[in-house]
Each structure stands twice: as C-alpha cells, then as structure tokens.
Amino acid sequence: STTGDEATDHDSVDDCTECGVGTYSGEGEACSICAVGKYSDTPGSGSCTSCPSGKYITDDASIVTSHDDIADCFDCEAGKSSTPPASSCPITCPTGTHSPPGSPCLDCEAGKFNENIQQESCTNCGTGR
C-alpha cells in the first residue's frame, strides 16, 4: 500500500509499505482494517482470519487494535455459539449438546445427556446407564 498525495509518494516500489497487523490489502489496494469477526496477526497480510466458532469481534473495521490478534476474539457465553465471522453469539446450543465458554456447540459424549438448551456441560447418565 502507498500513502500520500504527491506523485513522489508513488514513484517507486520503495514507496509501497507493508500493511500492519489488524489490516490487510489486495494487490493494488490500500490497507484496510479487518471486518467484524476477523483479525490479522501477520504484517503484510492479503486477508484476515475469522475468529473460530464460539468466538466473536464486534468492531466493524474502525479500531485496528480490535483486530490484531486472535486474543481479540471474545468468548461466547456458556451454551451459546457463533458462526464465523461473527459479531455476536446468536446460536443457542440445543438439547443433547453443550458449549463451554468460547466453544462451538458440541454433542454430549457417550454416557452423558442434556435435556436443556444453552448448557455449559452434559450430565452423566449414572451407574449402569
């Protein structure tokens, strides 16, 4: 990406600067802050990475430091999840599943069950069951 308004700001490959973390650019484009639910922790990136399922970023390309590391991805609350890239956690985990904070909805393991929606963990079936 290049910056400046003068012709001399754009007359050499040396004028091209690497996009910083939290930003990306396509070929011939200016650096842009990553969009909602995405981050870039690598300078000179051509794209941003979506936060994983169960995590989100609310900022929509206005604060670069909200998009410069995977740690910027907030955890969804227990029993809720998201589909990347996400700005919130609209998915309520259904019965038969669970979701610890920051995790996608996961099926209960063998020997466990869940009769309720939006649960952090599953319940053991008990001895002999």
Side-chain angles (χ1 to χ4, degrees), residues 64-100:
V64 70
T65 55
S66 294
H67 300 271
D68 61 2
D69 192 88
I70 192 170
D72 293 326
C73 299
F74 295 104
D75 287 349
C76 293
E77 66 181 276
K80 300 284 277 184
S81 193
S82 62
T83 301
S87 63
S88 65
C89 302
I91 300 170
T92 298
C93 297
T95 59
T97 70
H98 70 288
S99 175

Side-chain angles (χ1 to χ4, degrees), residues 20 22 27 30 38 40 104:
E27 187 172 336
K38 295 185 174 192
S40 174

